[in-house]
Amino acid sequence: GKVSWMSQSFLKLPTARFGAGSLSTLPDELERCGVQAPLFITDQGLVRCGAIDRVQVVFGNRLPGSVFDQIPENPTFQGVDAAFDQYKQ
């Protein structure tokens, strides 16, 4: 008999959006994925340059979830572990 192969996806890869206006798609993308309390992971340099402020504006000045801003500029396993600890809380 014939063998038929079915393609299945076992890993849901994240969607990457970039370019002008891409930040404005974030609320809809989170809703589409069913994410209600995201953890925004960033470093102090991006906080100082206003990146989190711009994200907050997209959500009507009410940022859902929480922010972990202690990740090193070159992320380490320890930084990721610390972010995960905050996410679990």
Side-chain angles (χ1 to χ4, degrees):
K2 280 186 172 180
V3 175
S4 98
W5 294 94
M6 294 177 59
S7 175
Q8 293 189 6
S9 176
F10 296 102
L11 177 63
K12 176 83 172 126
L13 297 175
T15 301
R17 301 201 191 284
F18 51 91
S22 59
L23 185 58
S24 66
T25 68
L26 185 56
D28 289 337
E29 188 66 22
L30 291 175
E31 183 177 335
R32 184 184 71 77
C33 294
V35 176
Q36 296 177 3
L39 174 61
F40 296 93
I41 302 173
T42 187
D43 62 44
Q44 286 294 307
L46 289 172
V47 171
R48 282 192 300 274
C49 79
I52 291 297
D53 293 336
R54 289 192 292 276
V55 171
Q56 190 167 341
V57 167
V58 170
F59 288 96
N61 291 322
R62 186 189 163 277
L63 194 62
S66 59
V67 175
F68 179 81
D69 60 5
Q70 299 302 310
I71 201 80
E73 289 181 19
N74 293 313
T76 62
F77 287 112
Q78 293 83 8
V80 173
D81 288 342
F84 184 62
D85 288 342
Q86 178 173 322
Y87 182 74
K88 291 187 296 186
Q89 296 176 6

